[in-house]
Amino acid sequence: GAVVSQHPSWVICKSGTSVKIECRSLDFQATTMFWYRQFPKQSLMLMATSNEGSKATYEQGVEKDKFLINHASLTLSTLTVTSAHPEDSSFYICSARDTGVDNNEQFFGPGTRLTVL
Amino acid sequence: GQNIDQPTEMTATEGAIVQINCTYQTSGFNGLFWYQQHAGEAPTFLSYNVLDGLEEKGRFSSFLSRSKGYSYLLLKELQMKDSASYLCAVVRGDYKLSFGAGTTVTVRA
Protein backbone atom coordinates (compact mmCIF):
# COMPACT_ATOMS: atom_id res chain seq x y z
CA GLY A 1 0.00 0.00 0.00
CA ALA A 2 0.90 3.66 -0.19
CA VAL A 3 3.34 4.63 2.53
CA VAL A 4 4.34 8.11 3.65
CA SER A 5 7.21 8.66 6.05
CA GLN A 6 8.16 11.68 8.12
CA HIS A 7 11.46 12.56 9.71
CA PRO A 8 12.10 13.24 12.49
CA SER A 9 9.38 11.61 14.58
CA TRP A 10 9.93 14.11 17.33
CA VAL A 11 12.19 17.07 17.91
CA ILE A 12 12.93 19.36 20.83
CA CYS A 13 14.56 22.68 20.11
CA LYS A 14 15.34 26.00 21.72
CA SER A 15 13.28 29.08 21.00
CA GLY A 16 14.62 31.00 18.02
CA THR A 17 16.04 28.02 16.14
CA SER A 18 14.76 26.60 12.87
CA VAL A 19 13.52 23.06 12.43
CA LYS A 20 13.16 21.11 9.19
CA ILE A 21 10.65 18.29 8.82
CA GLU A 22 10.76 15.91 5.86
CA CYS A 23 7.82 14.13 4.26
CA ARG A 24 8.46 11.32 1.79
CA SER A 25 6.19 9.17 -0.33
CA LEU A 26 7.97 5.80 -0.33
CA ASP A 27 6.24 3.80 -3.05
CA PHE A 28 4.41 6.36 -5.18
CA GLN A 29 4.91 9.74 -6.73
CA ALA A 30 3.19 12.73 -5.19
CA THR A 31 2.84 15.95 -7.14
CA THR A 32 0.78 17.33 -4.29
CA MET A 33 1.46 17.01 -0.59
CA PHE A 34 -0.27 18.69 2.33
CA TRP A 35 0.96 19.94 5.70
CA TYR A 36 -1.31 19.90 8.73
CA ARG A 37 -0.91 20.98 12.32
CA GLN A 38 -2.75 19.40 15.23
CA PHE A 39 -2.87 20.80 18.75
CA PRO A 40 -3.80 18.50 21.65
CA LYS A 41 -7.40 17.29 21.51
CA GLN A 42 -8.07 19.35 18.42
CA SER A 43 -8.52 18.45 14.79
CA LEU A 44 -6.06 18.61 11.96
CA MET A 45 -5.79 22.08 10.50
CA LEU A 46 -4.51 22.40 6.96
CA MET A 47 -1.55 24.77 6.84
CA ALA A 48 -0.49 24.62 3.22
CA THR A 49 -0.51 22.67 -0.01
CA SER A 50 2.89 21.72 -1.35
CA ASN A 51 3.18 21.51 -5.13
CA GLU A 52 6.14 19.86 -6.84
CA GLY A 53 8.05 22.36 -8.91
CA SER A 54 6.03 25.39 -7.88
CA LYS A 55 5.29 27.55 -4.87
CA ALA A 56 3.25 26.24 -1.99
CA THR A 57 -0.19 27.69 -1.35
CA TYR A 58 -0.94 28.65 2.22
CA GLU A 59 -4.22 28.66 4.10
CA GLN A 60 -5.50 31.92 5.50
CA GLY A 61 -3.67 32.97 8.63
CA VAL A 62 -0.58 30.82 8.04
CA GLU A 63 2.62 32.85 7.66
CA LYS A 64 4.50 31.69 4.58
CA ASP A 65 7.76 33.28 5.76
CA LYS A 66 7.60 31.37 9.02
CA PHE A 67 6.63 28.00 7.56
CA LEU A 68 8.83 27.47 4.53
CA ILE A 69 7.84 24.66 2.21
CA ASN A 70 10.00 23.10 -0.48
CA HIS A 71 8.76 20.34 -2.80
CA ALA A 72 11.83 19.68 -4.91
CA SER A 73 11.00 16.18 -6.12
CA LEU A 74 7.98 13.96 -6.70
CA THR A 75 8.64 12.08 -3.46
CA LEU A 76 9.84 14.72 -1.01
CA SER A 77 8.41 17.82 0.61
CA THR A 78 10.02 19.68 3.49
CA LEU A 79 8.53 22.05 6.04
CA THR A 80 10.90 24.39 7.85
CA VAL A 81 9.63 26.14 10.94
CA THR A 82 11.81 29.25 11.13
CA SER A 83 12.62 31.00 14.39
CA ALA A 84 10.45 28.58 16.32
CA HIS A 85 8.70 29.72 19.47
CA PRO A 86 6.89 27.76 22.19
CA GLU A 87 3.52 28.47 20.57
CA ASP A 88 4.73 26.54 17.51
CA SER A 89 4.89 23.38 19.61
CA SER A 90 2.46 21.00 17.96
CA PHE A 91 2.01 17.74 16.07
CA TYR A 92 2.82 18.29 12.39
CA ILE A 93 1.41 15.77 9.92
CA CYS A 94 1.94 15.58 6.19
CA SER A 95 -0.13 13.76 3.61
CA ALA A 96 0.35 12.96 -0.04
CA ARG A 97 -1.86 12.27 -3.01
CA ASP A 98 -0.82 9.56 -5.45
CA THR A 99 -0.21 11.30 -8.78
CA GLY A 100 -1.06 8.13 -10.66
CA VAL A 101 -4.52 7.71 -9.15
CA ASP A 102 -7.45 9.99 -9.94
CA ASN A 103 -9.20 10.20 -6.61
CA ASN A 104 -9.27 12.37 -3.52
CA GLU A 105 -7.51 10.03 -1.13
CA GLN A 106 -4.60 11.36 0.90
CA PHE A 107 -2.08 9.10 2.63
CA PHE A 108 -0.84 10.40 5.93
CA GLY A 109 2.61 10.31 7.43
CA PRO A 110 3.14 9.26 11.06
CA GLY A 111 3.56 12.85 12.23
CA THR A 112 6.33 14.88 13.85
CA ARG A 113 5.96 16.14 17.38
CA LEU A 114 7.71 19.48 17.79
CA THR A 115 8.43 20.89 21.24
CA VAL A 116 9.97 24.35 21.44
CA LEU A 117 11.48 25.24 24.79
CA GLY B 1 -16.31 29.14 5.88
CA GLN B 2 -16.16 25.50 6.80
CA ASN B 3 -18.30 24.03 9.56
CA ILE B 4 -18.00 20.35 10.41
CA ASP B 5 -19.63 19.10 13.60
CA GLN B 6 -19.29 15.79 15.36
CA PRO B 7 -19.77 14.78 19.01
CA THR B 8 -16.75 15.18 21.26
CA GLU B 9 -16.93 11.86 23.08
CA MET B 10 -18.81 8.57 23.05
CA THR B 11 -18.54 5.54 25.30
CA ALA B 12 -19.76 2.03 24.53
CA THR B 13 -19.37 -1.52 25.73
CA GLU B 14 -17.30 -4.18 24.01
CA GLY B 15 -19.45 -6.00 21.44
CA ALA B 16 -21.92 -3.14 21.11
CA ILE B 17 -22.65 -0.79 18.18
CA VAL B 18 -21.84 2.90 18.09
CA GLN B 19 -22.90 5.50 15.53
CA ILE B 20 -20.86 8.68 15.12
CA ASN B 21 -22.70 11.49 13.35
CA CYS B 22 -21.13 14.26 11.30
CA THR B 23 -22.89 17.29 9.89
CA TYR B 24 -21.18 19.69 7.56
CA GLN B 25 -21.51 23.01 5.79
CA THR B 26 -18.60 23.61 3.46
CA SER B 27 -17.70 25.61 0.38
CA GLY B 28 -18.22 22.88 -2.18
CA PHE B 29 -18.35 19.14 -1.66
CA ASN B 30 -16.38 16.41 -3.38
CA GLY B 31 -16.75 13.57 -0.94
CA LEU B 32 -16.37 12.71 2.73
CA PHE B 33 -13.75 10.60 4.48
CA TRP B 34 -13.76 8.92 7.87
CA TYR B 35 -10.40 8.36 9.54
CA GLN B 36 -9.34 6.61 12.73
CA GLN B 37 -6.59 8.20 14.78
CA HIS B 38 -4.91 6.75 17.86
CA ALA B 39 -3.24 9.20 20.20
CA GLY B 40 0.08 10.47 18.85
CA GLU B 41 -0.32 8.69 15.54
CA ALA B 42 -1.37 9.69 12.04
CA PRO B 43 -4.94 9.18 10.83
CA THR B 44 -5.69 5.94 9.02
CA PHE B 45 -8.30 5.63 6.29
CA LEU B 46 -11.61 3.97 7.11
CA SER B 47 -14.08 4.95 4.42
CA TYR B 48 -14.93 7.34 1.61
CA ASN B 49 -18.41 8.39 0.44
CA VAL B 50 -19.14 10.59 -2.52
CA LEU B 51 -22.63 9.35 -3.45
CA ASP B 52 -25.65 9.11 -1.17
CA GLY B 53 -26.12 5.83 0.60
CA LEU B 54 -24.43 3.28 2.77
CA GLU B 55 -20.95 1.86 2.23
CA GLU B 56 -20.21 -1.28 4.22
CA LYS B 57 -16.73 -2.57 4.93
CA GLY B 58 -16.52 -5.32 7.50
CA ARG B 59 -17.40 -4.04 10.96
CA PHE B 60 -17.41 -0.43 9.77
CA SER B 61 -20.10 1.22 7.64
CA SER B 62 -20.48 4.81 6.53
CA PHE B 63 -23.55 6.64 5.32
CA LEU B 64 -23.90 9.89 3.39
CA SER B 65 -26.80 12.22 2.61
CA ARG B 66 -25.57 15.13 0.54
CA SER B 67 -28.90 16.95 0.59
CA LYS B 68 -28.85 16.96 4.40
CA GLY B 69 -25.13 17.60 4.77
CA TYR B 70 -24.95 14.54 6.99
CA SER B 71 -22.87 11.43 7.40
CA TYR B 72 -22.43 8.77 10.02
CA LEU B 73 -19.88 6.10 10.79
CA LEU B 74 -21.22 2.89 12.27
CA LEU B 75 -18.93 0.66 14.28
CA LYS B 76 -20.28 -2.82 14.97
CA GLU B 77 -19.08 -5.57 17.32
CA LEU B 78 -16.89 -3.10 19.14
CA GLN B 79 -13.48 -4.26 20.27
CA MET B 80 -11.14 -2.68 22.81
CA LYS B 81 -8.74 -1.75 20.01
CA ASP B 82 -11.47 0.45 18.49
CA SER B 83 -10.89 2.97 21.28
CA ALA B 84 -9.58 5.95 19.30
CA SER B 85 -10.52 9.29 17.83
CA TYR B 86 -12.67 9.20 14.68
CA LEU B 87 -12.34 12.10 12.27
CA CYS B 88 -14.87 13.23 9.70
CA ALA B 89 -13.20 15.04 6.79
CA VAL B 90 -14.93 16.75 3.89
CA VAL B 91 -13.31 17.17 0.49
CA ARG B 92 -13.99 20.80 -0.34
CA GLY B 93 -14.64 22.36 -3.70
CA ASP B 94 -10.89 23.02 -4.06
CA TYR B 95 -10.23 19.32 -3.30
CA LYS B 96 -8.60 20.07 0.04
CA LEU B 97 -9.69 18.35 3.23
CA SER B 98 -11.47 20.07 6.10
CA PHE B 99 -11.56 18.03 9.29
CA GLY B 100 -14.03 17.92 12.12
CA ALA B 101 -12.67 18.09 15.66
CA GLY B 102 -12.93 14.33 16.06
CA THR B 103 -14.98 12.02 18.27
CA THR B 104 -13.16 10.13 20.99
CA VAL B 105 -14.66 6.67 21.36
CA THR B 106 -13.95 4.72 24.53
CA VAL B 107 -14.75 1.02 24.53
CA ARG B 108 -15.27 -0.54 27.96
CA ALA B 109 -15.16 -4.19 28.86
Side-chain angles (χ1 to χ4, degrees):
Chain A
V3 179
V4 175
S5 70
Q6 277 184 244
H7 178 81
S9 302
W10 57 270
V11 57
I12 301 173
C13 69
K14 292 183 180 180
S15 186
T17 60
S18 294
V19 175
K20 180 187 284 189
I21 303 170
E22 294 185 348
C23 177
R24 292 182 187 273
S25 57
L26 298 186
D27 50 2
F28 64 97
Q29 293 185 330
T31 305
T32 304
M33 292 183 173
F34 301 90
W35 287 97
Y36 296 86
R37 181 167 52 183
Q38 186 177 34
F39 292 106
K41 297 190 177 181
Q42 295 186 24
S43 191
L44 280 74
M45 296 297 295
L46 179 64
M47 298 174 66
T49 303
S50 175
N51 305 296
E52 187 269 336
S54 64
K55 290 183 179 180
T57 54
Y58 291 80
E59 295 299 296
Q60 192 171 9
V62 178
E63 300 175 57
K64 63 179 181 181
D65 294 329
K66 180 166 182 65
F67 299 99
L68 301 178
I69 292 172
N70 187 302
H71 194 151
S73 78
L74 287 172
T75 59
L76 172 65
S77 174
T78 61
L79 169 69
T80 301
V81 183
T82 61
S83 186
H85 290 284
E87 58 265 30
D88 298 322
S89 298
S90 187
F91 193 49
Y92 291 86
I93 304 176
C94 74
S95 70
R97 288 183 62 183
D98 188 335
T99 304
V101 179
D102 185 23
N103 62 27
N104 295 313
E105 188 169 4
Q106 295 181 21
F107 301 97
F108 287 85
T112 297
R113 185 159 302 283
L114 170 64
T115 301
V116 185
L117 302 177
Chain B
Q2 323 298 327
N3 195 20
I4 302 171
D5 290 319
Q6 48 182 131
T8 305
E9 295 179 328
M10 300 183 76
T11 302
T13 307
E14 199 173 12
I17 298 173
V18 70
Q19 178 175 314
I20 306 170
N21 296 323
C22 172
T23 58
Y24 62 88
Q25 289 179 307
T26 56
S27 53
F29 179 84
N30 284 296
L32 186 146
F33 286 96
W34 282 97
Y35 289 92
Q36 180 191 62
Q37 185 181 27
H38 286 98
E41 298 180 10
T44 55
F45 170 82
L46 291 178
S47 69
Y48 175 63
N49 295 69
V50 65
L51 300 177
D52 288 353
L54 186 67
E55 294 278 343
E56 296 187 83
K57 189 184 293 186
R59 294 189 298 115
F60 294 171
S61 302
S62 57
F63 172 83
L64 175 66
S65 170
R66 289 173 297 172
S67 62
K68 295 182 179 178
Y70 168 69
S71 173
Y72 69 71
L73 178 70
L74 195 68
L75 285 63
K76 294 179 279 190
E77 300 170 21
L78 279 174
Q79 301 175 8
M80 299 299 287
K81 66 178 182 179
D82 297 329
S83 292
S85 182
Y86 291 84
L87 308 176
C88 170
V90 172
V91 185
R92 305 180 329 210
D94 56 5
Y95 295 94
K96 298 175 182 176
L97 290 181
S98 286
F99 282 84
T103 299
T104 301
V105 172
T106 303
V107 181
R108 295 184 172 165

